[in-house]
């Protein structure tokens, strides 16, 4: 089994799932959309207009860095390994402060698959011979 090919395919599957989640979020029921429109945005909502802008800006920066890290991982660049782990940790911490969010079962399971693939990528980066490609 070629670990490089498996690793690259994990990244491609992860990107496909992210696209699928993005599309699926727009096709949720009206009840879920209503809840999300009226939900609070955690700590950022309490900070007012500036807080919402700050939260959005942080989300955009994390997302851009996440996609950059995936590209660098796909190309086996050493900085990609560090960037992916840092973005993973920061986005996890950020999630604790993000507030309420409702979704349907399909989107929820896609989020779980994305989290599982993130974990699999981290396992590949540190516990397989792939780690030598990033030295």
């Amino acid at each position: 089994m070629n670990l490089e090919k498996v690793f690259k395919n994990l990244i491609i599957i992860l990107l496909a799932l992210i696209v699928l989640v993005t599309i699926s979020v727009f096709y949720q029921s009206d009840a879920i959309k209503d809840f999300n429109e009226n939900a609070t945005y955690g700590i950022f909502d309490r900070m007012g207009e500036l807080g919402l802008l700050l939260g959005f800006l942080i989300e955009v920066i994390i997302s851009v860095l996440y996609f950059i890290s995936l590209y660098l991982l796909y190309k086996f660049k050493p900085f990609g390994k560090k960037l992916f782990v840092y973005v993973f940790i920061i986005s996890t911490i950020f999630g604790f402060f993000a507030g309420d969010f409702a979704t349907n079962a399909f989107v929820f399971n896609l989020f779980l698959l994305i989290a599982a693939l993130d974990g699999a990528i981290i396992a590949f980066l540190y516990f397989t011979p792939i780690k030598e490609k990033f030295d």
Side-chain angles (χ1 to χ4, degrees):
M1 179 168 57
N2 187 354
L3 284 179
E4 290 178 29
K5 188 173 181 179
V6 172
F7 182 73
K8 286 186 171 190
N9 285 339
L10 279 178
I11 294 171
I12 291 170
I13 292 168
L14 179 60
L15 289 170
L17 287 175
I18 291 170
V19 168
L20 191 56
V21 162
T22 304
I23 293 169
S24 299
V25 165
F26 292 108
Y27 293 101
Q28 296 192 56
S29 71
D30 290 335
I32 292 173
K33 288 179 185 176
D34 289 341
F35 177 85
N36 288 334
E37 286 175 6
N38 297 320
T40 61
Y41 295 98
I43 194 169
F44 301 105
D45 195 35
R46 294 185 183 133
M47 294 168 48
E49 192 85 17
L50 181 63
L52 292 175
L53 183 62
L54 178 66
F56 177 74
L57 183 63
I58 291 171
E59 283 185 35
V60 169
I61 291 170
I62 288 172
S63 297
V64 169
L65 290 175
Y66 183 74
F67 288 116
I68 290 171
S69 71
L70 288 177
Y71 175 77
L72 294 173
L73 287 178
Y74 191 83
K75 295 293 185 179
F76 295 107
K77 303 291 183 191
F79 181 67
K81 180 179 179 180
K82 292 178 185 176
L83 183 62
F84 183 80
V85 173
Y86 291 145
V87 168
F88 179 80
I89 292 169
I90 290 168
S91 64
T92 302
I93 292 169
F94 181 75
F96 287 116
F97 302 103
D100 302 329
F101 179 70
T103 185
N104 60 25
F106 181 73
V107 174
F108 177 73
N109 282 306
L110 289 177
F111 278 128
L112 289 178
L113 286 172
I114 289 170
L117 287 179
D118 282 344
I121 288 172
I122 290 173
F124 265 81
L125 290 174
Y126 288 97
F127 302 113
T128 68
I130 291 289
K131 68 182 175 187
E132 296 163 6
K133 294 282 247 179
F134 292 96
D135 291 332

